[in-house]
Amino acid sequence: MSMTTKQVKRAFKYRFCPTDAQAAELSRTFGCVRKVYNLALAARSEAWTLRQERVNYNATSAMLTSWKKTDELAYLSEVSSVPLQQTLRHLQGAFGNFWQKRAKYPAFKSRKKSRKSAEYTTSGFRYRDGKLTLAKMSEPLDIVWSRPLPEGATPSTVTVSQDPAGRWFVSMLCDDIPATMPQTTNTVGIDAGITSLVTLSTGEKVTNPRFERKDRARLAKAQRVLAKKARGDGANRAKARRKVAKVHARITDRRRDHLHKLTTRLVRENQTIVIEDLTVRNMVKNHFLARAISDAAWSTMRGMLEYKCAWHGRDLVAIDRWFPSSRLCSACGTLQGKMPLNIRMWTCRCGVTHDRDVNAAKNVLAEGLSVTVCGAGVRPQRSSPGGQSATKQKTPRREP
């Protein structure tokens, strides 16, 4: 048995139904969080542009105190100060990512488009006897406990949010020790695709549910209704916008549920998982394929595999995206010439007939195991005999 005892930070997300007073309080808090973030961002940008001066978190925290004393921004004192301080820390983190060239320059939060959320630290909430009460509230939140928190766990932070569909969520960050998984010697290579979401080196193909395409007619109808509404802040337009958001939420929820079940099974059954290091961001620039690629959600699947493997002591190997897995014979290692996407079955000169996706998955596994033995992270780019890059033709066929 694998003796995984590593403690990790894990978020447990639940839906809840606020009272009218709680909903009003949280809506005010969301607005104040957005306002403070924008004010602090404007102050930091102005200080750097005019005086070449960097303003840190401590300075913006002092600014927040002075803003509350003005008549124009006195309403900031009506909500809990904890989420306001937290949004200043988030802004500091955003600037840190920008300076380290991990992200773009922080952007201002839009009232209509930005995510409605507020984060509370331990001084901003009370969790006792399975009941969560936030600051400035007299009653606990009516949470739908779909699963229990870890035994004896106490949340370190609580994030309350409302999605565009109008649903309320609370996410509690707790220390947790992931469940142990049996040790195994199984290995698997994964070839991602469109028709088959993934093809495994074992020959198994997992069909792509195409959740977005299944609800495309419903989504199109809701969007047409929204487009006919008069622009502005009217109630009818807001109602139509929520209907569109509900369709999107249905698609997203079903897709994530399917990916969670798939990735959990792969991690449970295999000790080593090999995938390709695909650049989905570049692939979706092809406007003919962007919708199908986004619906497959390869990046989301990889993210799930990464943290689940880290939790349960599994090995995840990502091979070079330029590795020609589709054109390499898994039996004799011969590299074929150009192979159009309409060729799904092909025969090598050694006489072996391959299914294109299964062959690719076998090559992905072999390549991942070889670079693991050699101690390398990702195999460098290889060139074909003609001098051109021996790239794998990963872009799938055009989505109808």
Side-chain angles (χ1 to χ4, degrees):
M1 296 289 289
S2 174
M3 301 302 294
T4 302
T5 58
K6 181 181 179 181
Q7 183 170 277
V8 299
K9 290 286 187 180
R10 187 172 182 180
F12 293 81
K13 190 173 183 179
Y14 307 92
R15 285 191 65 176
F16 72 97
C17 301
T19 63
D20 292 341
Q22 290 174 339
E25 176 65 27
L26 290 173
S27 296
R28 284 195 299 270
T29 303
F30 295 159
C32 291
V33 165
R34 183 182 64 252
K35 182 67 174 180
V36 169
Y37 185 95
N38 289 341
L39 287 173
L41 176 56
R44 296 180 70 141
S45 300
E46 181 182 355
W48 178 256
T49 303
L50 300 181
R51 302 183 297 275
Q52 298 294 298
E53 175 186 350
R54 281 190 176 182
V55 179
N56 58 18
Y57 162 76
N58 293 331
T60 55
S61 181
M63 291 179 186
L64 175 59
T65 303
S66 62
W67 292 335
K68 291 181 178 180
K69 296 178 180 179
T70 63
D71 295 336
E72 182 182 2
L73 299 174
Y75 62 86
L76 295 177
S77 300
E78 298 176 1
V79 301
S80 173
S81 62
V82 175
L84 303 185
Q85 295 288 348
Q86 284 299 101
T87 196
L88 295 179
R89 292 188 177 95
H90 294 164
L91 180 60
Q92 180 68 27
F95 270 101
N97 291 332
F98 169 71
W99 293 327
Q100 297 296 326
K101 298 183 179 180
R102 293 192 297 264
K104 295 181 179 180
Y105 192 83
F108 289 97
K109 293 184 179 294
S110 168
R111 182 173 66 88
K112 293 183 179 180
K113 297 181 180 180
S114 63
R115 180 171 180 261
K116 298 179 180 179
S117 66
E119 184 179 68
Y120 295 80
T121 56
T122 52
S123 60
F125 66 87
R126 182 176 68 254
Y127 179 74
R128 293 178 183 172
D129 301 326
K131 295 183 178 180
L132 178 68
T133 306
L134 301 179
K136 300 286 186 178
M137 295 185 185
S138 57
E139 299 179 0
L141 299 181
D142 184 12
I143 298 175
V144 180
W145 296 100
S146 54
R147 56 176 173 168
L149 289 178
E151 185 176 355
T154 301
S156 57
T157 62
V158 170
T159 302
V160 182
S161 61
Q162 185 184 25
D163 69 1
R167 302 178 301 178
W168 295 87
F169 295 94
V170 58
S171 179
M172 291 179 253
L173 188 66
C174 304
D175 291 326
D176 186 30
I177 299 178
T180 58
M181 286 191 174
Q183 195 76 7
T184 179
T185 57
N186 295 340
T187 59
V188 68
I190 299 177
D191 178 70
I194 294 296
T195 303
S196 297
L197 180 61
V198 294
T199 301
L200 307 183
S201 55
T202 58
E204 178 186 355
K205 292 187 177 183
V206 179
T207 304
N208 185 3
R210 298 177 186 251
F211 293 112
E212 187 273 338
R213 194 165 75 169
K214 289 181 179 179
D215 281 346
R216 190 172 295 177
R218 181 183 301 182
L219 178 61
K221 181 179 178 180
Q223 289 174 331
R224 283 196 299 269
V225 173
L226 174 61
K228 294 178 181 179
K229 300 298 181 183
R231 294 190 176 276
D233 296 330
N236 286 338
R237 185 172 179 83
K239 183 178 179 181
R241 187 184 296 113
R242 280 195 298 272
K243 287 186 177 180
V244 174
K246 286 181 179 179
V247 179
H248 280 296
R250 167 186 163 92
I251 295 170
T252 302
D253 290 347
R254 297 173 71 194
R255 180 190 295 131
R256 290 189 65 86
D257 179 69
H258 180 264
L259 291 178
H260 270 300
K261 292 175 180 177
L262 174 61
T263 53
T264 298
R265 179 172 74 88
L266 291 173
V267 172
R268 181 184 295 115
E269 295 176 354
N270 301 279
Q271 182 64 35
T272 302
I273 301 174
V274 185
I275 59 175
E276 293 176 293
D277 186 25
L278 299 177
T279 52
V280 179
R281 180 181 300 178
N282 293 336
M283 297 173 72
V284 295
K285 292 179 180 179
N286 184 333
H287 298 294
F288 295 107
L289 301 166
R291 197 169 195 172
I293 294 174
S294 299
D295 193 20
W298 296 332
S299 295
T300 303
M301 180 173 62
R302 174 171 176 171
M304 291 180 179
L305 286 173
E306 286 177 346
Y307 76 76
K308 290 180 182 181
C309 285
W311 282 0
H312 301 292
R314 305 308 201 198
D315 299 319
L316 182 66
V317 181
I319 67 169
D320 187 358
R321 67 189 64 133
W322 301 117
F323 177 66
S325 57
S326 293
R327 300 190 292 119
L328 195 66
C329 177
S330 58
C332 67
T334 301
L335 182 64
Q336 306 298 314
K338 291 184 178 180
M339 188 177 297
L341 292 171
N342 61 344
I343 298 178
R344 312 312 299 173
M345 301 288 294
W346 58 279
T347 303
C348 179
R349 67 186 66 175
C350 68
V352 178
T353 300
H354 296 289
D355 177 286
R356 181 191 183 106
D357 297 332
V358 175
N359 176 69
K362 291 180 179 179
N363 287 325
V364 167
L365 175 60
E367 180 73 359
L369 295 179
S370 67
V371 298
T372 302
V373 172
C374 297
V378 176
R379 187 163 179 164
Q381 178 175 338
R382 306 199 312 182
S383 297
S384 62
Q388 295 181 347
S389 173
T391 63
K392 178 185 178 184
Q393 298 173 350
K394 169 49 68 179
T395 306
R397 289 173 287 183
R398 180 172 175 176
E399 173 85 64

